């Protein structure tokens, strides 16, 4: 009998003989790697052995897929499995469009089935702050709302937004943990901060009022790096959120931070000079390093987008999440200095674009090894991620079909690493398992649209193109 499991286990032996399902004995063993697990199912034995609780949780996901295919009479089975990289993540953006709490739970439960172990949660951006804050209540009272939805010129003028209460966040953190998933929150800084500056304009270089944005883009309003108050604010927020999110990692963003206002700001220029820095990119590096160090003192590892390394002075303790190609070899230099990398390169990770742009096949290609990032341990890539930014995602249905099954392809790329097989082998297993999405209430993209042909591709791109339009210059956003 053939069993279809995603991610494909390292070793899987299935016999024709069958036994009725029943409870498995779960054993934690010190001699196995933390996330490794072993399943033995014979007529006399039903055991799961694992290196830790995480491994047991993975084994349960495998058994769930087995049961989906076999019902309550299972084939005799032996599985030995271990992941290739330790950080296997999916990202959801609750800022551009608010994602209902129950929807987040649904996505986390689905992710468990494919052995993800991190949920990167984008909770602050130009278009809204999303977490209740006791230190700075203005963030959720004002920063969580905006005057409409004009992404791609959508033209809805009604006030919208929302935030998650602390109680909800705690519930979500616990729920995810019960499924072996740690939540990595992201407070994007110093760019993508119109929401924060809307509440605290004094943290910007110009100290002028800033709107919570209603459309996509890269905005010039960024936190002032020359103002001591900015640092105090950031540390306080990190304190508050570290209490709420107990995980090992904390994402501090660092992408797309235009330097226009910094260049024109006496405080930023003075700080740059005082620190002996050559340019504003280095000043960003300094800003990031302050956060990296602050988090390190709290026992946390900081993750930054690769833009944060453009100054070439990033603290090697920061983990770089790479989303654009490393043209200036800044990531490579970081690796040389002992730094680690999460691979989420745009063309193999971004699931916010139609399948016509990033097909299932393209997501499956995501690599966990790179000659450019060779290091003493062999390879500096410690993780993978797939992402749904939500500028153009206004419904749960759209979110789910953009994520699934592309997230499953990314999960296998991260789990199997260099042992990953052919795309068609993956899609064969996926087709056999496809019904499980509906069982989990997930609206996944049907197989005919996974890797669209040239004609379908054109149609989909045509349909998506108006999204790329930005509101006119005189429009208030
Ligand atoms: C780039 S990925 C961004 C996001 C956008 C995304 C849209 C990254 C670090 N920044 O702010 O949502 O493109 O695809």
């Amino acid at each position: 009998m053939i069993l279809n499991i995603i991610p494909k286990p390292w070793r899987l032996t299935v016999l024709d003989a069958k036994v009725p399902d029943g409870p498995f004995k779960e054993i934690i063993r010190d001699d196995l790697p933390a996330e490794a697990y072993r399943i033995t199912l014979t007529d006399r034995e039903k055991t799961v052995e694992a290196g830790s609780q995480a491994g047991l949780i993975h084994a349960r996901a495998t058994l769930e897929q087995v049961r989906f295919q076999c019902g309550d009479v299972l084939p005799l089975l032996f599985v030995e499995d271990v992941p290739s990289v330790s950080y296997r993540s999916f990202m959801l953006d609750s800022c551009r469009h608010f994602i209902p709490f129950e929807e987040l739970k649904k996505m986390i439960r689905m992710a468990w089935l494919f052995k993800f172990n991190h949920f990167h949660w984008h909770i602050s951006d130009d278009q809204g702050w999303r977490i209740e804050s006791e230190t700075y209540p203005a963030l959720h009272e004002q920063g969580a709302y905006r005057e409409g939805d004009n992404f791609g010129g959508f033209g809805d003028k009604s006030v919208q937004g929302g935030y998650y209460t602390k109680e909800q966040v705690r519930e979500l953190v616990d729920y995810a943990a019960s499924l072996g998933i740690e939540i990595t929150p992201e407070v994007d800084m110093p760019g993508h901060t119109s929401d924060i500056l809307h509440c605290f304009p004094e943290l910007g270089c110009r100290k002028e009022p800033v709107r919570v944005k209603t459309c996509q883009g890269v905005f010039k309003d960024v936190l002032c790096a020359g103002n001591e108050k900015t640092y105090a604010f950031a540390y306080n927020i990190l304190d508050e959120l570290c209490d709420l999110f107990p995980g090992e990692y904390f994402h501090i963003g660092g992408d797309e931070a235009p330097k226009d206002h910094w260049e024109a700001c006496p405080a930023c220029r003075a700080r740059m000079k005082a620190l002996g820095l050559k340019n504003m990119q280095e000043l960003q590096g300094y800003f990031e390093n302050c956060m990296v160090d602050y988090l390190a003192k709290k026992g946390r590892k900081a993750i930054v987008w690769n833009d944060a390394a453009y100054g070439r002075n990033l603290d090697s303790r920061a983990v770089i999440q790479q989303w654009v190609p490393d043209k200036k070899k800044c990531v490579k230099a970081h690796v040389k200095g002992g730094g680690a990398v999460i691979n989420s390169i745009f063309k193999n990770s971004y699931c916010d674009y139609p399948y016509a742009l990033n097909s299932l096949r393209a997501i499956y290609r995501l690599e966990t090894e790179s000659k450019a990032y060779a290091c003493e341990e062999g390879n500096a890539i410690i993780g993978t991620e797939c992402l749904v930014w939500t500028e153009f995602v206004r419904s749960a249905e759209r979110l789910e079909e953009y994520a699934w099954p592309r997230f499953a392809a990314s999960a296998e790329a991260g789990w199997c690493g260099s042992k990953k097989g052919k795309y068609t082998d993956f899609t064969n297993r996926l087709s056999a398992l496809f019904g499980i999405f509906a069982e989990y209430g997930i609206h996944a993209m049907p197989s005919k649209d996974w890797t669209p042909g040239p004609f379908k591709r054109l149609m989909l791109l045509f349909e998506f193109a108006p999204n790329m339009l930005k509101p006119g210059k005189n429009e208030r956003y």
Side-chain angles (χ1 to χ4, degrees), residues 90-94 99 107 122 349-353 385-391 393 398-400 402-404 406-407:
F90 66 104
M91 190 226 67
L92 299 177
D93 165 12
S94 280
I99 303 172
M107 294 293 279
H122 195 70
S349 305
Y350 278 45
C351 301
D352 50 325
Y353 291 109
E385 188 172 283
C386 45
L387 315 86
V388 181
W389 300 101
T390 56
E391 285 94 333
V393 177
R398 180 38 58 110
L399 177 70
E400 291 172 9
Y402 268 20
W404 306 103
R406 285 190 287 203
F407 278 17

PDB file of all heavy atoms in Angstrom, residues 90-94 99 107 122 349-353 385-391 393 398-400 402-404 406-407:
ATOM      1  N   PHE A  90       5.674  30.186   8.582  1.00  0.00           N
ATOM      2  CA  PHE A  90       4.749  30.827   7.645  1.00  0.00           C
ATOM      3  C   PHE A  90       4.406  32.191   8.211  1.00  0.00           C
ATOM      4  O   PHE A  90       4.358  32.370   9.429  1.00  0.00           O
ATOM      5  CB  PHE A  90       3.496  29.965   7.418  1.00  0.00           C
ATOM      6  CG  PHE A  90       2.623  29.796   8.627  1.00  0.00           C
ATOM      7  CD1 PHE A  90       1.430  30.499   8.753  1.00  0.00           C
ATOM      8  CD2 PHE A  90       2.988  28.934   9.659  1.00  0.00           C
ATOM      9  CE1 PHE A  90       0.616  30.346   9.870  1.00  0.00           C
ATOM     10  CE2 PHE A  90       2.180  28.788  10.775  1.00  0.00           C
ATOM     11  CZ  PHE A  90       0.998  29.484  10.885  1.00  0.00           C
ATOM     12  N   MET A  91       4.213  33.173   7.333  1.00  0.00           N
ATOM     13  CA  MET A  91       3.913  34.518   7.792  1.00  0.00           C
ATOM     14  C   MET A  91       2.547  34.984   7.328  1.00  0.00           C
ATOM     15  O   MET A  91       2.159  34.737   6.184  1.00  0.00           O
ATOM     16  CB  MET A  91       4.954  35.512   7.270  1.00  0.00           C
ATOM     17  CG  MET A  91       4.819  36.881   7.933  1.00  0.00           C
ATOM     18  SD  MET A  91       4.884  38.321   6.837  1.00  0.00           S
ATOM     19  CE  MET A  91       3.399  38.142   5.896  1.00  0.00           C
ATOM     20  N   LEU A  92       1.834  35.622   8.243  1.00  0.00           N
ATOM     21  CA  LEU A  92       0.570  36.259   7.872  1.00  0.00           C
ATOM     22  C   LEU A  92       0.629  37.715   8.310  1.00  0.00           C
ATOM     23  O   LEU A  92       1.156  38.041   9.375  1.00  0.00           O
ATOM     24  CB  LEU A  92      -0.610  35.545   8.531  1.00  0.00           C
ATOM     25  CG  LEU A  92      -0.793  34.074   8.154  1.00  0.00           C
ATOM     26  CD1 LEU A  92      -1.953  33.468   8.939  1.00  0.00           C
ATOM     27  CD2 LEU A  92      -1.025  33.888   6.658  1.00  0.00           C
ATOM     28  N   ASP A  93       0.078  38.566   7.470  1.00  0.00           N
ATOM     29  CA  ASP A  93       0.107  40.015   7.682  1.00  0.00           C
ATOM     30  C   ASP A  93      -1.284  40.458   8.134  1.00  0.00           C
ATOM     31  O   ASP A  93      -2.224  40.500   7.348  1.00  0.00           O
ATOM     32  CB  ASP A  93       0.529  40.645   6.340  1.00  0.00           C
ATOM     33  CG  ASP A  93       0.281  42.143   6.255  1.00  0.00           C
ATOM     34  OD1 ASP A  93       0.002  42.771   7.292  1.00  0.00           O
ATOM     35  OD2 ASP A  93       0.383  42.679   5.128  1.00  0.00           O
ATOM     36  N   SER A  94      -1.388  40.769   9.423  1.00  0.00           N
ATOM     37  CA  SER A  94      -2.676  41.202   9.968  1.00  0.00           C
ATOM     38  C   SER A  94      -2.871  42.710   9.830  1.00  0.00           C
ATOM     39  O   SER A  94      -3.882  43.239  10.287  1.00  0.00           O
ATOM     40  CB  SER A  94      -2.766  40.836  11.458  1.00  0.00           C
ATOM     41  OG  SER A  94      -3.107  39.483  11.611  1.00  0.00           O
ATOM     42  N   ILE A  99      -7.036  40.144   9.997  1.00  0.00           N
ATOM     43  CA  ILE A  99      -7.431  38.737   9.853  1.00  0.00           C
ATOM     44  C   ILE A  99      -8.187  38.335  11.124  1.00  0.00           C
ATOM     45  O   ILE A  99      -7.644  38.461  12.225  1.00  0.00           O
ATOM     46  CB  ILE A  99      -6.197  37.827   9.654  1.00  0.00           C
ATOM     47  CG1 ILE A  99      -5.398  38.292   8.419  1.00  0.00           C
ATOM     48  CG2 ILE A  99      -6.608  36.362   9.525  1.00  0.00           C
ATOM     49  CD1 ILE A  99      -4.064  37.582   8.244  1.00  0.00           C
ATOM     50  N   MET A 107      -5.664  28.743  10.446  1.00  0.00           N
ATOM     51  CA  MET A 107      -4.421  28.677   9.667  1.00  0.00           C
ATOM     52  C   MET A 107      -3.315  27.980  10.468  1.00  0.00           C
ATOM     53  O   MET A 107      -2.514  27.224   9.918  1.00  0.00           O
ATOM     54  CB  MET A 107      -3.967  30.086   9.268  1.00  0.00           C
ATOM     55  CG  MET A 107      -4.910  30.782   8.310  1.00  0.00           C
ATOM     56  SD  MET A 107      -4.988  30.035   6.660  1.00  0.00           S
ATOM     57  CE  MET A 107      -3.528  30.731   5.927  1.00  0.00           C
ATOM     58  N   HIS A 122       2.905  39.372  11.460  1.00  0.00           N
ATOM     59  CA  HIS A 122       3.179  40.781  11.136  1.00  0.00           C
ATOM     60  C   HIS A 122       2.089  41.633  11.791  1.00  0.00           C
ATOM     61  O   HIS A 122       0.959  41.670  11.319  1.00  0.00           O
ATOM     62  CB  HIS A 122       3.166  40.921   9.614  1.00  0.00           C
ATOM     63  CG  HIS A 122       3.776  42.189   9.104  1.00  0.00           C
ATOM     64  ND1 HIS A 122       5.126  42.451   9.171  1.00  0.00           N
ATOM     65  CD2 HIS A 122       3.222  43.262   8.511  1.00  0.00           C
ATOM     66  CE1 HIS A 122       5.369  43.629   8.636  1.00  0.00           C
ATOM     67  NE2 HIS A 122       4.229  44.149   8.225  1.00  0.00           N
ATOM     68  N   SER A 349       8.821  32.220  -2.315  1.00  0.00           N
ATOM     69  CA  SER A 349       8.178  32.274  -0.995  1.00  0.00           C
ATOM     70  C   SER A 349       6.905  33.087  -0.921  1.00  0.00           C
ATOM     71  O   SER A 349       6.082  32.847  -0.045  1.00  0.00           O
ATOM     72  CB  SER A 349       9.134  32.895   0.033  1.00  0.00           C
ATOM     73  OG  SER A 349      10.339  32.230   0.066  1.00  0.00           O
ATOM     74  N   TYR A 350       6.780  34.082  -1.797  1.00  0.00           N
ATOM     75  CA  TYR A 350       5.669  35.021  -1.648  1.00  0.00           C
ATOM     76  C   TYR A 350       4.371  34.446  -2.197  1.00  0.00           C
ATOM     77  O   TYR A 350       4.247  34.173  -3.380  1.00  0.00           O
ATOM     78  CB  TYR A 350       6.031  36.366  -2.303  1.00  0.00           C
ATOM     79  CG  TYR A 350       6.866  37.205  -1.366  1.00  0.00           C
ATOM     80  CD1 TYR A 350       7.927  36.615  -0.678  1.00  0.00           C
ATOM     81  CD2 TYR A 350       6.583  38.531  -1.110  1.00  0.00           C
ATOM     82  CE1 TYR A 350       8.678  37.339   0.224  1.00  0.00           C
ATOM     83  CE2 TYR A 350       7.345  39.270  -0.210  1.00  0.00           C
ATOM     84  CZ  TYR A 350       8.381  38.668   0.451  1.00  0.00           C
ATOM     85  OH  TYR A 350       9.124  39.377   1.356  1.00  0.00           O
ATOM     86  N   CYS A 351       3.416  34.300  -1.308  1.00  0.00           N
ATOM     87  CA  CYS A 351       2.131  33.721  -1.692  1.00  0.00           C
ATOM     88  C   CYS A 351       1.037  34.787  -1.667  1.00  0.00           C
ATOM     89  O   CYS A 351      -0.138  34.475  -1.578  1.00  0.00           O
ATOM     90  CB  CYS A 351       1.796  32.554  -0.766  1.00  0.00           C
ATOM     91  SG  CYS A 351       3.044  31.252  -0.798  1.00  0.00           S
ATOM     92  N   ASP A 352       1.436  36.064  -1.719  1.00  0.00           N
ATOM     93  CA  ASP A 352       0.437  37.131  -1.791  1.00  0.00           C
ATOM     94  C   ASP A 352       0.162  37.503  -3.239  1.00  0.00           C
ATOM     95  O   ASP A 352      -0.671  38.356  -3.517  1.00  0.00           O
ATOM     96  CB  ASP A 352       0.872  38.368  -1.002  1.00  0.00           C
ATOM     97  CG  ASP A 352       2.280  38.832  -1.338  1.00  0.00           C
ATOM     98  OD1 ASP A 352       3.136  37.981  -1.600  1.00  0.00           O
ATOM     99  OD2 ASP A 352       2.518  40.052  -1.345  1.00  0.00           O
ATOM    100  N   TYR A 353       0.884  36.886  -4.133  1.00  0.00           N
ATOM    101  CA  TYR A 353       0.657  37.103  -5.555  1.00  0.00           C
ATOM    102  C   TYR A 353      -0.039  35.884  -6.137  1.00  0.00           C
ATOM    103  O   TYR A 353       0.061  34.791  -5.586  1.00  0.00           O
ATOM    104  CB  TYR A 353       1.982  37.366  -6.253  1.00  0.00           C
ATOM    105  CG  TYR A 353       2.563  38.698  -5.840  1.00  0.00           C
ATOM    106  CD1 TYR A 353       3.684  38.777  -5.029  1.00  0.00           C
ATOM    107  CD2 TYR A 353       1.928  39.878  -6.219  1.00  0.00           C
ATOM    108  CE1 TYR A 353       4.178  40.003  -4.617  1.00  0.00           C
ATOM    109  CE2 TYR A 353       2.417  41.114  -5.809  1.00  0.00           C
ATOM    110  CZ  TYR A 353       3.539  41.164  -5.016  1.00  0.00           C
ATOM    111  OH  TYR A 353       4.013  42.374  -4.593  1.00  0.00           O
ATOM    112  N   GLU A 385      10.694  30.267   4.977  1.00  0.00           N
ATOM    113  CA  GLU A 385       9.392  30.857   5.280  1.00  0.00           C
ATOM    114  C   GLU A 385       8.595  31.095   4.005  1.00  0.00           C
ATOM    115  O   GLU A 385       9.152  31.395   2.957  1.00  0.00           O
ATOM    116  CB  GLU A 385       9.569  32.186   6.033  1.00  0.00           C
ATOM    117  CG  GLU A 385       8.262  32.758   6.548  1.00  0.00           C
ATOM    118  CD  GLU A 385       8.461  33.963   7.461  1.00  0.00           C
ATOM    119  OE1 GLU A 385       8.835  33.786   8.634  1.00  0.00           O
ATOM    120  OE2 GLU A 385       8.241  35.086   6.981  1.00  0.00           O
ATOM    121  N   CYS A 386       7.280  30.955   4.126  1.00  0.00           N
ATOM    122  CA  CYS A 386       6.362  31.332   3.055  1.00  0.00           C
ATOM    123  C   CYS A 386       5.455  32.428   3.624  1.00  0.00           C
ATOM    124  O   CYS A 386       5.218  32.452   4.833  1.00  0.00           O
ATOM    125  CB  CYS A 386       5.550  30.127   2.599  1.00  0.00           C
ATOM    126  SG  CYS A 386       4.885  29.147   3.959  1.00  0.00           S
ATOM    127  N   LEU A 387       4.989  33.329   2.784  1.00  0.00           N
ATOM    128  CA  LEU A 387       4.316  34.522   3.298  1.00  0.00           C
ATOM    129  C   LEU A 387       3.066  34.911   2.525  1.00  0.00           C
ATOM    130  O   LEU A 387       3.039  34.792   1.300  1.00  0.00           O
ATOM    131  CB  LEU A 387       5.255  35.736   3.240  1.00  0.00           C
ATOM    132  CG  LEU A 387       6.701  35.589   3.720  1.00  0.00           C
ATOM    133  CD1 LEU A 387       7.583  35.060   2.601  1.00  0.00           C
ATOM    134  CD2 LEU A 387       7.241  36.898   4.227  1.00  0.00           C
ATOM    135  N   VAL A 388       2.072  35.373   3.265  1.00  0.00           N
ATOM    136  CA  VAL A 388       0.949  36.057   2.615  1.00  0.00           C
ATOM    137  C   VAL A 388       0.844  37.471   3.178  1.00  0.00           C
ATOM    138  O   VAL A 388       0.407  37.672   4.319  1.00  0.00           O
ATOM    139  CB  VAL A 388      -0.410  35.339   2.798  1.00  0.00           C
ATOM    140  CG1 VAL A 388      -1.501  36.131   2.051  1.00  0.00           C
ATOM    141  CG2 VAL A 388      -0.378  33.913   2.253  1.00  0.00           C
ATOM    142  N   TRP A 389       1.303  38.448   2.391  1.00  0.00           N
ATOM    143  CA  TRP A 389       1.025  39.853   2.675  1.00  0.00           C
ATOM    144  C   TRP A 389      -0.408  40.095   2.236  1.00  0.00           C
ATOM    145  O   TRP A 389      -0.883  39.452   1.294  1.00  0.00           O
ATOM    146  CB  TRP A 389       1.991  40.756   1.904  1.00  0.00           C
ATOM    147  CG  TRP A 389       3.421  40.512   2.257  1.00  0.00           C
ATOM    148  CD1 TRP A 389       4.329  39.790   1.551  1.00  0.00           C
ATOM    149  CD2 TRP A 389       4.112  40.976   3.425  1.00  0.00           C
ATOM    150  NE1 TRP A 389       5.542  39.782   2.197  1.00  0.00           N
ATOM    151  CE2 TRP A 389       5.434  40.502   3.347  1.00  0.00           C
ATOM    152  CE3 TRP A 389       3.740  41.747   4.529  1.00  0.00           C
ATOM    153  CZ2 TRP A 389       6.394  40.766   4.334  1.00  0.00           C
ATOM    154  CZ3 TRP A 389       4.691  42.019   5.497  1.00  0.00           C
ATOM    155  CH2 TRP A 389       6.000  41.535   5.406  1.00  0.00           C
ATOM    156  N   THR A 390      -1.089  41.022   2.898  1.00  0.00           N
ATOM    157  CA  THR A 390      -2.533  41.055   2.643  1.00  0.00           C
ATOM    158  C   THR A 390      -3.050  42.352   1.999  1.00  0.00           C
ATOM    159  O   THR A 390      -4.214  42.690   2.154  1.00  0.00           O
ATOM    160  CB  THR A 390      -3.293  40.804   3.960  1.00  0.00           C
ATOM    161  OG1 THR A 390      -2.864  41.769   4.928  1.00  0.00           O
ATOM    162  CG2 THR A 390      -3.059  39.413   4.489  1.00  0.00           C
ATOM    163  N   GLU A 391      -2.173  43.065   1.308  1.00  0.00           N
ATOM    164  CA  GLU A 391      -2.657  44.279   0.634  1.00  0.00           C
ATOM    165  C   GLU A 391      -3.902  43.986  -0.201  1.00  0.00           C
ATOM    166  O   GLU A 391      -4.843  44.785  -0.239  1.00  0.00           O
ATOM    167  CB  GLU A 391      -1.582  44.847  -0.299  1.00  0.00           C
ATOM    168  CG  GLU A 391      -0.439  45.552   0.392  1.00  0.00           C
ATOM    169  CD  GLU A 391       0.749  44.627   0.631  1.00  0.00           C
ATOM    170  OE1 GLU A 391       0.545  43.395   0.755  1.00  0.00           O
ATOM    171  OE2 GLU A 391       1.891  45.142   0.727  1.00  0.00           O
ATOM    172  N   VAL A 393      -5.714  41.054  -0.093  1.00  0.00           N
ATOM    173  CA  VAL A 393      -6.419  39.889   0.452  1.00  0.00           C
ATOM    174  C   VAL A 393      -7.491  40.398   1.405  1.00  0.00           C
ATOM    175  O   VAL A 393      -7.201  40.828   2.511  1.00  0.00           O
ATOM    176  CB  VAL A 393      -5.428  38.950   1.184  1.00  0.00           C
ATOM    177  CG1 VAL A 393      -6.163  37.785   1.816  1.00  0.00           C
ATOM    178  CG2 VAL A 393      -4.363  38.440   0.216  1.00  0.00           C
ATOM    179  N   ARG A 398      -9.859  34.094   0.127  1.00  0.00           N
ATOM    180  CA  ARG A 398      -8.681  34.475  -0.670  1.00  0.00           C
ATOM    181  C   ARG A 398      -7.388  34.129   0.092  1.00  0.00           C
ATOM    182  O   ARG A 398      -6.448  33.557  -0.476  1.00  0.00           O
ATOM    183  CB  ARG A 398      -8.803  35.960  -0.969  1.00  0.00           C
ATOM    184  CG  ARG A 398      -7.793  36.749  -1.756  1.00  0.00           C
ATOM    185  CD  ARG A 398      -7.118  36.159  -2.922  1.00  0.00           C
ATOM    186  NE  ARG A 398      -7.857  35.656  -4.036  1.00  0.00           N
ATOM    187  CZ  ARG A 398      -7.909  36.189  -5.249  1.00  0.00           C
ATOM    188  NH1 ARG A 398      -7.316  37.320  -5.501  1.00  0.00           N
ATOM    189  NH2 ARG A 398      -8.532  35.585  -6.225  1.00  0.00           N
ATOM    190  N   LEU A 399      -7.386  34.442   1.391  1.00  0.00           N
ATOM    191  CA  LEU A 399      -6.214  34.139   2.217  1.00  0.00           C
ATOM    192  C   LEU A 399      -5.897  32.639   2.140  1.00  0.00           C
ATOM    193  O   LEU A 399      -4.762  32.234   1.915  1.00  0.00           O
ATOM    194  CB  LEU A 399      -6.492  34.536   3.670  1.00  0.00           C
ATOM    195  CG  LEU A 399      -5.396  34.208   4.680  1.00  0.00           C
ATOM    196  CD1 LEU A 399      -4.182  35.103   4.459  1.00  0.00           C
ATOM    197  CD2 LEU A 399      -5.895  34.367   6.111  1.00  0.00           C
ATOM    198  N   GLU A 400      -6.925  31.829   2.306  1.00  0.00           N
ATOM    199  CA  GLU A 400      -6.718  30.382   2.340  1.00  0.00           C
ATOM    200  C   GLU A 400      -6.259  29.838   0.990  1.00  0.00           C
ATOM    201  O   GLU A 400      -5.346  29.015   0.913  1.00  0.00           O
ATOM    202  CB  GLU A 400      -8.010  29.696   2.795  1.00  0.00           C
ATOM    203  CG  GLU A 400      -8.324  29.981   4.257  1.00  0.00           C
ATOM    204  CD  GLU A 400      -9.697  29.487   4.681  1.00  0.00           C
ATOM    205  OE1 GLU A 400     -10.363  28.776   3.902  1.00  0.00           O
ATOM    206  OE2 GLU A 400     -10.119  29.829   5.815  1.00  0.00           O
ATOM    207  N   TYR A 402      -4.704  31.457  -1.352  1.00  0.00           N
ATOM    208  CA  TYR A 402      -3.349  31.918  -1.664  1.00  0.00           C
ATOM    209  C   TYR A 402      -2.317  31.129  -0.850  1.00  0.00           C
ATOM    210  O   TYR A 402      -1.230  30.843  -1.326  1.00  0.00           O
ATOM    211  CB  TYR A 402      -3.229  33.421  -1.400  1.00  0.00           C
ATOM    212  CG  TYR A 402      -3.520  34.263  -2.640  1.00  0.00           C
ATOM    213  CD1 TYR A 402      -4.233  33.737  -3.723  1.00  0.00           C
ATOM    214  CD2 TYR A 402      -3.067  35.571  -2.745  1.00  0.00           C
ATOM    215  CE1 TYR A 402      -4.496  34.489  -4.854  1.00  0.00           C
ATOM    216  CE2 TYR A 402      -3.320  36.339  -3.889  1.00  0.00           C
ATOM    217  CZ  TYR A 402      -4.033  35.792  -4.933  1.00  0.00           C
ATOM    218  OH  TYR A 402      -4.273  36.548  -6.064  1.00  0.00           O
ATOM    219  N   ALA A 403      -2.692  30.793   0.378  1.00  0.00           N
ATOM    220  CA  ALA A 403      -1.745  30.071   1.240  1.00  0.00           C
ATOM    221  C   ALA A 403      -1.653  28.583   0.882  1.00  0.00           C
ATOM    222  O   ALA A 403      -0.561  28.020   0.812  1.00  0.00           O
ATOM    223  CB  ALA A 403      -2.158  30.223   2.696  1.00  0.00           C
ATOM    224  N   TRP A 404      -2.787  27.972   0.684  1.00  0.00           N
ATOM    225  CA  TRP A 404      -2.811  26.515   0.517  1.00  0.00           C
ATOM    226  C   TRP A 404      -3.182  26.122  -0.888  1.00  0.00           C
ATOM    227  O   TRP A 404      -4.135  26.654  -1.413  1.00  0.00           O
ATOM    228  CB  TRP A 404      -3.809  25.878   1.510  1.00  0.00           C
ATOM    229  CG  TRP A 404      -3.524  26.279   2.901  1.00  0.00           C
ATOM    230  CD1 TRP A 404      -4.187  27.191   3.650  1.00  0.00           C
ATOM    231  CD2 TRP A 404      -2.453  25.789   3.730  1.00  0.00           C
ATOM    232  NE1 TRP A 404      -3.609  27.305   4.886  1.00  0.00           N
ATOM    233  CE2 TRP A 404      -2.548  26.462   4.968  1.00  0.00           C
ATOM    234  CE3 TRP A 404      -1.434  24.840   3.542  1.00  0.00           C
ATOM    235  CZ2 TRP A 404      -1.652  26.221   6.008  1.00  0.00           C
ATOM    236  CZ3 TRP A 404      -0.557  24.610   4.584  1.00  0.00           C
ATOM    237  CH2 TRP A 404      -0.665  25.296   5.802  1.00  0.00           C
ATOM    238  N   ARG A 406       0.199  26.252  -1.421  1.00  0.00           N
ATOM    239  CA  ARG A 406       1.585  26.705  -1.558  1.00  0.00           C
ATOM    240  C   ARG A 406       2.374  26.559  -0.258  1.00  0.00           C
ATOM    241  O   ARG A 406       3.563  26.194  -0.280  1.00  0.00           O
ATOM    242  CB  ARG A 406       1.617  28.154  -2.066  1.00  0.00           C
ATOM    243  CG  ARG A 406       1.291  28.242  -3.549  1.00  0.00           C
ATOM    244  CD  ARG A 406       1.553  29.619  -4.123  1.00  0.00           C
ATOM    245  NE  ARG A 406       0.583  30.611  -3.714  1.00  0.00           N
ATOM    246  CZ  ARG A 406       0.335  31.737  -4.389  1.00  0.00           C
ATOM    247  NH1 ARG A 406       0.993  31.993  -5.506  1.00  0.00           N
ATOM    248  NH2 ARG A 406      -0.564  32.605  -3.960  1.00  0.00           N
ATOM    249  N   PHE A 407       1.722  26.813   0.892  1.00  0.00           N
ATOM    250  CA  PHE A 407       2.423  26.662   2.174  1.00  0.00           C
ATOM    251  C   PHE A 407       2.905  25.217   2.373  1.00  0.00           C
ATOM    252  O   PHE A 407       3.951  24.985   2.970  1.00  0.00           O
ATOM    253  CB  PHE A 407       1.508  27.056   3.341  1.00  0.00           C
ATOM    254  CG  PHE A 407       1.418  28.550   3.606  1.00  0.00           C
ATOM    255  CD1 PHE A 407       1.821  29.484   2.660  1.00  0.00           C
ATOM    256  CD2 PHE A 407       0.931  29.022   4.822  1.00  0.00           C
ATOM    257  CE1 PHE A 407       1.740  30.861   2.904  1.00  0.00           C
ATOM    258  CE2 PHE A 407       0.850  30.388   5.096  1.00  0.00           C
ATOM    259  CZ  PHE A 407       1.253  31.310   4.135  1.00  0.00           C
TER     260      PHE A 407
END
